[in-house]
Every structure is written in C-alpha cells, then in structure tokens.
Amino acid sequence: MKKGVVYLIGAGPGDPGLITLKGKEILESCDALVYDNLASKEFLSWLPSRCKTFYVGKQAGCHSMKQDQINELLVQLALEGNKVVRLKGGDSFVFGRGSEEILALKEKEIPWELVQGITSCVSVPELAGIPVTHRNVSRSFHVITGHTLKGAQSEKELASYGACEGTLVFLMGLNNLNTISAGLIKGGKPANTPTAVIEDGSLNSQRVIRGTLKTIYEQTVKAEIKKPAIIEVGETAA
Ligand code: SAH
C-alpha cells in the first residue's frame, strides 16, 4: 500500500481565524486527525465526514498519551495510507515536541510536511496590547519555559534570566509564578518591573492582569487566573 503523509500543522493561539490558509485547506481534506487540547472546537467542524479523529491530550485528571505512543500512532496511520494531520496549539516547534515526532517519522521513512502556526509567545502578548519589543525600550525578547521536569527552573537559571535586558516571556509558568518572580528579583530584576499575565489569549474569554514582579503572583491568585496563561516581564508590559 502507498504510504500516506503526515502534516504537522500549528493551529495558532486559539482564535480559529489565526490558523494559516494552508493549514485550513489540509484539515478540510485529511483522512485522520491527531490532536491535543485545542482552544477552539471549530477546527473539528472543518474536517471531511470520513476523517477519523484521535484525541491524545490530557483528559480531566488523567495523563495525556505518552509521546512514544503518539509517534507510533502517526506512523501507523501513515502506513495505512492516510493523509494525516497532527494539529497542535501555536507553532508545533515552540515547546511543542514537533521535532520528536518528525524524528520518529524520518526513522520509518514516512513523508511529512510542516505548516507553521502563529506561536502564542508573541501573539498572545500582542493581542493584549503588549509588544515584545519596542524601540529604545526593549531590544530583545526571550522565550522561556516556566515548567521543567523538576518544577520551576533552578534558582541559578532564574537568576541568569533576571540579569537579562529585554522582555521575558514565560510559557507554562502559571503554577510556578511565585518561584519565577522571586527568582528573577533575586537575579537582579527590580521588584517594580512591569509584569503581565494573559489568560486565554485571542479568545472571547481573554483576561489580562497587569502588575509588577512583586505583586503579580497575588493578583493572579486573587483573580483566579487559569491555564493557558502567558507571563510577560519587562517595560513593554506597562
Ligand atoms: N506550541 C505552543 C506552546 C505550547 S506550550 C505555541 O507555539 O504557542 C503551552 C503554553 O503556551 C501554555 O502553558 C501557555 O503558557 C501558552 N499558551 C498557548 N496558547 C495560549 C493562549 N491562547 N493564551 C495564553 N497562553 C497560551
């Protein structure tokens, strides 16, 4: 049987209008969809009726499917001759494990194609009115994971980010916000550095909390901010 193809498509930050035309066209003609938690269910309404769907994200209270199993599922579907879409939030390669999936496909000589997505690390702050750079204010931006296998980043790592000029953007950091802000202050960021947290960026439910490194944790607890959320630290957050 002829091998199928796997398309790794980035869905963008949530608003279905922010996927690419190419991504939408491929979704409208695919045979199988493998997807995680998506901010909008509208993507599913674009699929042809023949399309088989496989949800591999976290179920309430349970773990998501293991990466090895996801890789295997993609390989299997392609070997059956399907046009497969692997759809992920944002861009597949920004903390998205897209490259691990491509390595697994390469190993089995499965054809694959990439369709980039708009990553949340720039789009979510921008939609909240916070640019990641601004002339004479922020000359660089740094995208950092706020969650590692051990919890937050180590004190040493956070201190080195605290010493960075420019804007700091933390993804997956909400649970560790207290540690992150304390670590940055310890590393040299002034406690009154403007800091914002954006929940559900690009969706109708979007909420933005603005404060400083010192106040932001308590503000987000008080406002009961939930995931997904992005933390932005730096003058542009003001
Ligand atoms: N590949 C994705 C990021 C995956 S990591 C991308 O390029 O955007 C998941 C993290 O992204 C979340 O924990 C959160 O920090 C951030 N995120 C993604 N979508 C978001 C949204 N709509 N609003 C706020 N944060 C979002």
Side-chain angles (χ1 to χ4, degrees):
M1 187 190 275
K2 197 172 168 290
K3 276 182 201 169
V5 187
V6 178
Y7 293 89
L8 267 99
I9 302 180
D15 175 351
L18 293 176
I19 194 170
T20 61
L21 287 174
K22 196 169 174 181
K24 183 167 191 260
E25 271 168 26
I26 297 169
L27 272 173
E28 284 168 343
S29 61
C30 68
D31 305 310
L33 172 73
V34 178
Y35 66 107
D36 309 300
N37 279 324
L38 294 172
S40 168
K41 294 276 172 283
E42 193 174 325
F43 299 110
L44 302 177
S45 71
W46 300 343
L47 301 169
S49 54
R50 66 167 187 282
C51 182
K52 299 171 279 230
T53 58
F54 301 85
Y55 174 74
V56 297
K58 277 187 190 144
Q59 306 277 8
C62 296
H63 278 294
S64 44
M65 199 190 254
K66 293 247 161 24
Q67 188 62 49
D68 286 353
Q69 294 171 300
I70 297 174
N71 297 350
E72 225 166 85
L73 176 63
L74 294 173
V75 168
Q76 184 59 35
L77 288 167
L79 287 175
E80 287 166 9
N82 292 299
K83 176 173 181 178
V84 184
V85 170
R86 174 68 174 116
L87 189 65
K88 290 169 188 264
D91 182 79
S92 306
F93 297 88
V94 178
F95 302 128
R97 308 190 73 169
S99 32
E100 292 170 51
E101 294 174 5
I102 286 186
L103 287 173
L105 297 171
K106 275 185 151 177
E107 200 183 310
K108 300 283 181 242
E109 298 181 353
I110 309 274
W112 55 273
E113 206 180 293
L114 170 66
V115 182
Q116 274 89 2
I118 297 182
T119 178
S120 63
C121 66
V122 287
S123 60
V124 165
E126 285 165 7
L127 287 163
I130 302 170
V132 290
T133 67
H134 189 85
R135 204 157 74 101
N136 290 335
V137 175
S138 171
R139 295 192 178 89
S140 65
F141 65 98
H142 311 262
V143 181
I144 305 160
T145 175
H147 174 86
T148 70
L149 288 176
K150 293 190 196 124
Q153 305 256 12
S154 71
E155 216 171 82
K156 193 170 155 217
E157 282 168 303
L158 287 172
S160 69
Y161 296 128
C164 274
E165 298 282 336
T167 308
L168 305 181
V169 182
F170 286 89
L171 271 63
M172 301 178 281
L174 192 63
N175 288 348
N176 297 321
L177 180 53
N178 205 12
T179 313
I180 292 170
S181 44
L184 295 176
I185 293 173
K186 221 168 171 187
K189 278 259 174 254
N192 65 357
T193 307
T195 303
V197 172
I198 308 122
E199 172 195 83
D200 276 352
S202 85
L203 300 169
N204 288 335
S205 48
Q206 174 176 301
R207 289 197 293 166
V208 185
I209 303 285
R210 286 168 191 262
T212 66
L213 263 185
K214 192 165 167 44
T215 62
I216 197 74
Y217 171 68
E218 286 195 356
Q219 287 176 278
T220 56
V221 171
K222 201 164 166 207
E224 296 182 13
I225 291 289
K226 296 176 304 301
K227 293 183 258 186
I230 279 188
I231 305 157
E232 179 162 336
V233 182
E235 291 306 317
T236 60

